[in-house]
């Protein structure tokens, strides 16, 4: 991707537009920006904008806030997520990334990251408001290209405008979405959420992030309409998207046919100049029942999609008392079959992966922790990755991290903590 970087300096502020970041997703211990972006550097902050000129990242300059290596990222849904370095090695071991995003869920701080001081975000938002006012004023005095960029920044980053953008995004996606699959971390959660099915098959007693709606599949025409709405809403910012999330909580249960059709409808969203060089990803949840219901032909069709397909399956526990405690309507025999199928997919498919979720927490029966330890110790390097999900009000940091560290030592398969993210 080639682009001509332009810029100027005024009032101690450096402005540059047309920058090009990395074209492939990296696991890096420094802030990486992707695709086309623009930036404005003030004495206190570095503001970075999307291809369309909408704020995406803000980073404090040295002396501005407590950790200048950290940053805020604004999501399409309007949340400001704080990215903490968290001790690079510890972060990577725990979640598979070098930075820890601080998401607004009570169970996430179990990894030890404290929320940023409230005044930090307030100062950032005030600085952004000041910047838009400066951009509007200075734009009147610049040649056409510089004036166009600063006018865009001033127009699109007003507080009310950003709020309206987030509201419109939620209208299009039936959001806010309460949870994303953990593997979305591989594209820094930059995904297009396409609702293929409403509700969940199970409605487990322990789950606080899923819908109470009865499971139902969306009509094909509605799926197509959602795809078209993404192009209209994001325009040039589609280049920042790493994939699609087929929602909501069990898209795989819609059936292999609707999943394949929805994926094929999304293919056009990832064509054209400037997008990431990586193959786009297709993320979805799949219950144990749904995973076992996919036919041989279905797995082959998924494997031949122009996406890296990442299915996340919540098996939760291999312990009968724990499944009863959770209100989980899946017999242990079914859970074991789902685990077996996930491992088979990991070995057989080139472009399809399956990851597993299990819960953890102090209040769970002791037999759960025993079965979890045995399960982790039995895993092979080629088996499905496992995410541990700390239960709200059940998981204390000290004991949970001690258990996770012990499991990490005996695990040969990938093992991480599940950070819940909304959108």
């Amino acid at each position: 991707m080639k682009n001509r970087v332009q810029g100027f300096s005024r009032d101690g502020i450096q402005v540059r537009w047309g920058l090009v970041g990395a074209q492939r997703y990296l696991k890096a211990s420094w802030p990486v920006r992707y695709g086309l972006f623009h930036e404005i550097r003030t004495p206190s902050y570095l503001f970075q904008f999307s291809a369309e000129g909408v704020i995406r990242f803000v980073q404090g300059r040295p002396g501005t806030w407590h950790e200048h290596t950290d940053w805020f990222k604004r999501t399409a849904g309007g949340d400001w997520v704080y990215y903490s370095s968290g001790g690079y090695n510890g972060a990577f071991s725990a979640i598979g990334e070098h930075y820890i995003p601080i998401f607004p869920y009570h169970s996430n701080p179990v990894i030890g990251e404290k929320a940023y001081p409230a005044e930090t975000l307030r100062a950032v938002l005030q600085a952004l408001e000041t910047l838009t006012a400066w951009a509007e004023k200075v734009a009147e005095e610049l040649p056409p290209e510089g004036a166009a960029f600063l006018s865009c920044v001033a127009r699109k980053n007003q507080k009310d405008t950003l709020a309206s953008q987030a509201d419109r995004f939620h209208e299009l996606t039936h959001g806010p979405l309460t949870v994303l699959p953990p593997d979305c971390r591989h594209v820094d959660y930059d995904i297009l959420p396409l609702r293929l099915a409403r509700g969940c098959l199970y409605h487990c007693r322990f789950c606080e992030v899923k819908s109470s709606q009865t499971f139902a599949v969306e009509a094909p025409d509605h799926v197509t309409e959602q795809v078209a709405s993404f192009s209209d809403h994001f325009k040039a910012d589609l280049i920042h998207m790493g994939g699609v999330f087929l929602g909501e909580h069990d898209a795989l249960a819609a059936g292999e046919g609707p999943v394949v059709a929805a994926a094929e409808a999304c293919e056009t969203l990832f064509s054209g100049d400037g997008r990431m060089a990586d193959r786009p990803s297709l993320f979805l949840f799949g219950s144990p029942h749904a995973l076992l219901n996919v036919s041989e032909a279905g797995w082959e069709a998924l494997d031949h999609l122009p996406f890296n397909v990442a299915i996340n399956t919540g098996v939760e526990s291999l312990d009968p008392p724990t499944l009863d405690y959770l209100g989980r309507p899946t017999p242990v025999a079914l859970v074991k079959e789902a685990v077996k199928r996930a491992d088979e997919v990991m070995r057989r498919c080139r472009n399809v992966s399956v990851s597993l979720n299990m819960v953890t927490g102090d209040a769970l029966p002791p037999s759960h922790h025993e079965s979890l330890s045995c399960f982790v110790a039995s895993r092979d390097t080629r088996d499905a990755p496992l995410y541990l999900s700390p239960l709200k009000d059940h998981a204390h940091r000290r004991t949970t991290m001690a258990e996770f560290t012990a499991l990490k030592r005996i695990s040969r398969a990938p093992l991480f903590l599940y950070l819940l993210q909304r959108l």
Side-chain angles (χ1 to χ4, degrees), residues 40-341:
I40 300 178
R41 191 182 298 261
T42 72
S44 299
Y45 295 99
L46 172 63
F47 299 90
Q48 294 175 316
F49 302 85
S50 71
E52 284 285 329
V54 179
I55 189 67
R56 271 172 63 79
F57 303 98
V58 182
Q59 188 170 1
R61 305 286 301 278
T64 301
W65 56 13
H66 56 297
E67 291 290 347
H68 71 271
T69 57
D70 299 349
W71 69 89
F72 280 103
K73 176 182 179 180
R74 182 182 176 274
T75 71
D79 283 330
W80 287 91
V81 179
Y82 187 78
Y83 281 67
S84 168
S85 57
Y88 295 122
N89 292 334
F92 196 81
S93 175
I95 65 171
E97 306 296 331
H98 290 286
Y99 283 84
I100 299 174
I102 310 300
F103 299 133
Y105 281 108
H106 294 297
S107 61
N108 286 338
V110 74
I111 60 175
E113 292 307 298
K114 296 180 179 179
Y116 52 86
E119 62 269 17
T120 304
L121 180 56
R122 283 197 295 267
V124 164
L125 297 179
Q126 180 60 53
L128 179 61
E129 187 174 325
T130 301
L131 180 68
T132 58
W134 175 86
E136 184 175 21
K137 176 183 176 181
V138 173
E140 300 173 355
E141 308 168 4
L142 295 177
E145 289 186 341
F149 171 60
L150 285 191
S151 295
C152 177
V153 168
R155 184 176 69 256
K156 293 187 176 182
N157 294 282
Q158 300 287 340
K159 180 180 178 180
D160 291 345
T161 304
L162 291 174
S164 296
Q165 284 181 334
D167 289 342
R168 178 57 179 156
F169 174 76
H170 287 147
E171 288 177 9
L172 297 175
T173 59
H174 310 284
L177 300 174
T178 56
V179 64
L180 298 176
D183 291 314
C184 290
R185 66 183 176 86
H186 294 302
V187 297
D188 198 22
Y189 306 93
D190 287 328
I191 53 92
L192 298 167
L194 176 69
R195 190 166 80 173
L196 180 60
R198 302 186 299 277
C200 176
L201 290 178
Y202 295 156
H203 303 294
C204 302
R205 186 166 52 246
F206 76 96
C207 185
E208 296 188 358
V209 295
K210 291 187 178 179
S211 168
S212 60
Q213 289 182 306
T214 301
F215 182 82
V217 181
E218 294 287 351
D221 288 349
H222 187 210
V223 173
T224 304
E225 290 170 2
Q226 290 180 79
V227 173
S229 72
F230 290 142
S231 295
D232 293 337
H233 182 74
F234 286 100
K235 299 181 174 64
D237 284 350
L238 281 176
I239 66 171
H240 298 297
M241 298 301 170
V244 173
F245 164 51
L246 291 185
E248 295 176 318
H249 306 301
D250 194 357
L252 193 61
E256 56 210 43
V259 169
V260 170
E264 291 174 343
C266 292
E267 187 175 355
T268 57
L269 297 173
F270 300 93
S271 60
D273 296 333
R275 65 150 277 99
M276 298 295 290
D278 290 315
R279 185 186 183 98
S281 295
L282 185 74
F283 303 102
L284 64 157
F285 290 113
S287 63
H289 282 93
L291 195 71
L292 293 171
N293 284 338
V294 178
S295 67
E296 292 297 318
W299 288 118
E300 185 173 349
L302 291 171
D303 204 26
H304 282 83
L305 287 172
F307 292 88
N308 290 324
V309 180
I311 301 168
N312 180 252
T313 297
V315 294
E316 313 310 348
S317 181
L318 288 165
D319 175 55
T322 301
L323 292 173
D324 290 341
Y325 176 82
L326 298 172
R328 183 78 170 171
T330 51
V332 168
L334 178 78
V335 173
K336 290 181 177 179
E337 280 299 309
V339 170
K340 181 180 178 182
R341 180 63 52 83

